[in-house]
């Protein structure tokens, strides 16, 4: 969501400490949209619910603009969200993955061998058993599916924000994000299909693969081509890319918030009849987020990884690529599905959780060797 501009700004200003997370005499290090993303999402949720009640025919018309499993309006909004962050990814940084191998190993193990499976387990425990009396019969699979879609997609762009706020190594962070994106192209669909199959949720492979192609492969290819075009013959590649993403940043934010409005427009009836459903969804998400961070951060400390690598390596395992999760949930289960609702609640929960973890990482810097 235009975070390459933020990363460049923070780098230029030396990278803030946790004290800068709060308002200071010099101003906030995080632009207001990123810093209060959960607030804007909450407002978009309110607008969406209101729209669904005031103009249900209009919302139904938007839902009808689809072919197969792809809604044209949502597809455009998702591309607007994802494209700027794909421009910021530099696959040339993959040549540096060997420079900080311990952090990379922790990241890969947590992101691809632990996180998707623990998220699926939490979904089954809470929605098949603990929360079963509080949700409509036969809907637990949708809740679990939404959680799986979130858990199987490690964060990309927002990691640049969290890394900068913890004074993380920028080269390591870039290599880490690039490697995860490369793996995601090939691993996301099989992992999701496996976990949905284990939890007895039938998902057509062709729909899942189509979603990955539409919302990962195509934006990633467009981002790579754009980056090549922007930086050809230029030595100041970082500033050029940052300048471009600054221009497209508003479209990314509008895409995210407009998608939330639409999703909650379709979900308004469910939420008004069961307002506590958002709280139910948030519980496993909170457990997963803090648990994955604790695991990765402890492993980094035990393995004597320096803090400027330990912090971003733990944070990427905590955060989710919620743009992809939202898009795939819509493609697989529909705009008005509970699975789509779960992925949007992930957006609402993530930002405040990540800010608390940034605060914790900065307060515990002394745990790590210089």
């Amino acid at each position: 969501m235009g975070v390459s501009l933020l990363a460049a700004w923070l780098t230029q200003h030396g990278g803030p400490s946790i004290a800068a997370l709060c308002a200071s005499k010099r101003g906030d290090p995080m632009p207001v949209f990123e810093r209060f993303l959960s607030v804007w999402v909450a407002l978009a949720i309110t607008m969406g619910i209101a729209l669904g009640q005031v103009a249900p025919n209009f919302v139904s018309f938007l839902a009808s603009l689809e072919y197969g499993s792809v809604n044209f309006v949502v597809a455009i909004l998702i591309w607007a969200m994802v494209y700027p962050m794909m421009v910021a990814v530099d696959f040339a940084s993959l040549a540096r993955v060997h420079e900080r191998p311990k952090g990379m190993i922790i990241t890969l193990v947590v992101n691809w061998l632990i996180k998707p499976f623990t998220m699926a387990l939490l979904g089954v425990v809470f929605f098949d058993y603990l929360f079963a009396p509080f949700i409509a019969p036969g809907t637990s699979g949708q809740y679990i599916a939404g959680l799986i879609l979130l858990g199987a997609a490690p964060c990309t762009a927002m990691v640049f924000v969290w890394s900068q706020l913890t004074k993380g190594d920028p080269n390591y962070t870039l290599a880490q994000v690039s490697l995860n994106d490369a793996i995601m192209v090939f691993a996301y669909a099989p992992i999701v299909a496996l976990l949905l199959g284990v939890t007895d949720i039938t998902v057509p492979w062709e729909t899942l693969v189509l979603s990955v192609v539409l919302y990962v492969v195509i934006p990633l290819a467009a981002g790579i081509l754009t980056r090549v075009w922007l930086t050809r013959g230029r030595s100041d590649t970082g500033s050029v890319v940052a300048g471009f993403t600054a221009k497209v940043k508003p479209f990314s934010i509008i895409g995210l918030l407009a998608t939330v409005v639409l999703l909650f427009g379709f979900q308004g009836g469910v939420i008004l009849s069961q307002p506590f459903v958002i709280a139910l969804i948030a519980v496993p998400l909170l457990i997963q987020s803090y648990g994955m961070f604790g695991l990765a951060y402890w492993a980094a400390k035990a393995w004597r990884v320096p803090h400027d690598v330990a912090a971003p390596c733990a944070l990427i395992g905590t955060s989710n690529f919620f743009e992809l999760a939202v898009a795939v949930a819509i493609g697989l289960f529909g705009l008005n599905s509970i699975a789509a609702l779960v992925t949007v609640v992930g957006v609402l929960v993530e930002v405040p959780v990540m800010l608390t973890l940034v605060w914790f990482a900065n307060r515990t810097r002394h745990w790590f060797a210089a």
Side-chain angles (χ1 to χ4, degrees):
M1 292 177 292
V3 294
S4 58
L5 172 65
L6 174 61
W9 191 98
L10 290 168
T11 301
Q12 178 184 353
H13 288 74
S17 65
I18 190 61
L21 280 173
C22 303
S24 67
K25 294 181 180 178
R26 293 176 297 174
D28 295 337
M30 184 181 289
V32 70
F33 270 108
E34 277 85 355
R35 189 166 187 265
F36 295 104
L37 180 58
S38 288
V39 175
W40 314 135
V41 171
L43 291 174
I45 288 173
T46 304
M47 291 177 59
I49 294 174
L51 181 65
Q53 301 304 304
V54 174
N57 292 335
F58 175 67
V59 173
S60 298
F61 168 72
L62 294 179
S64 68
L65 300 176
E66 64 177 15
Y67 179 79
S69 61
V70 179
N71 181 276
F72 300 126
V73 178
V74 174
I76 293 171
L77 295 176
I78 294 292
W79 285 331
M81 271 192 280
V82 176
Y83 170 68
M85 65 183 69
M86 293 305 188
V87 176
V89 173
D90 180 11
F91 281 99
S93 64
L94 291 178
R96 299 195 297 268
V97 297
H98 64 282
E99 294 176 1
R100 313 304 281 274
K102 292 182 179 179
M104 200 65 68
I105 290 171
I106 293 172
T107 294
L108 294 179
V109 169
V110 170
N111 283 347
W112 299 107
L113 299 182
I114 298 177
K115 184 181 177 184
F117 304 95
T118 56
M119 192 76 266
L121 177 61
L122 287 171
V124 170
V125 169
F126 279 98
F127 289 102
D128 270 349
Y129 298 98
L130 299 180
F131 291 163
F134 308 109
I135 61 176
T139 61
S140 64
Q142 290 269 323
Y143 289 98
I144 296 169
L147 293 174
I148 289 172
L149 293 174
L150 278 171
C155 188
T156 55
M158 287 298 284
V159 174
F160 293 117
V161 176
W162 315 132
S163 178
Q164 289 289 343
L165 291 177
T166 57
K167 297 184 180 179
D169 182 329
N171 290 329
Y172 167 78
T173 304
L174 185 57
Q176 168 184 259
V177 170
S178 300
L179 182 58
N180 269 287
D181 276 0
I183 294 174
M184 194 182 308
V185 171
F186 303 101
Y188 184 74
I191 289 176
V192 168
L194 170 65
L195 292 175
L196 293 179
V198 168
T199 53
D200 295 327
I201 301 170
T202 302
V203 177
W205 258 95
E206 60 274 16
T207 303
L208 181 56
V209 172
L210 174 63
S211 296
V212 174
V213 170
L214 282 176
Y215 303 119
V216 177
V217 177
I218 291 177
L220 185 59
I224 292 172
L225 292 175
T226 302
R227 189 181 184 93
V228 170
W229 176 73
L230 288 171
T231 60
R232 69 187 190 284
R234 300 291 297 267
S235 58
D236 55 339
T237 56
S239 60
V240 171
V241 173
F244 177 80
T245 54
K247 295 177 182 178
V248 298
K249 176 181 178 179
F251 299 102
S252 183
I253 295 172
I254 291 170
L256 171 64
L257 297 181
T259 301
V260 172
V261 170
L262 282 181
L263 289 175
F264 279 86
F266 290 110
Q267 296 287 350
V270 175
I271 296 196
L272 291 176
S273 62
Q274 294 180 295
F276 62 91
V277 72
I278 291 180
L280 296 182
I281 295 169
V283 171
L285 289 175
L286 290 170
I287 294 173
Q288 170 83 347
S289 296
Y290 288 114
M292 289 301 99
F293 177 86
L295 175 63
Y297 205 57
W298 172 84
K301 182 178 182 297
W303 209 1
R304 304 180 67 82
V305 175
H307 188 268
D308 65 347
V309 171
C313 107
L315 291 168
I316 194 174
T318 306
S319 188
N320 300 305
F321 189 0
F322 50 76
E323 295 89 348
L324 173 62
V326 169
V328 176
I330 293 170
L332 293 179
F333 302 103
L335 273 165
N336 60 344
S337 65
I338 293 174
L341 173 65
V342 172
T343 58
V344 174
V345 174
V347 185
L348 184 65
V349 170
E350 177 162 316
V351 174
V353 167
M354 296 305 295
L355 287 175
T356 64
L357 292 174
V358 165
W359 175 87
F360 178 81
N362 281 318
R363 287 293 297 268
T364 55
R365 190 182 306 274
H366 63 280
W367 290 2
F368 296 79

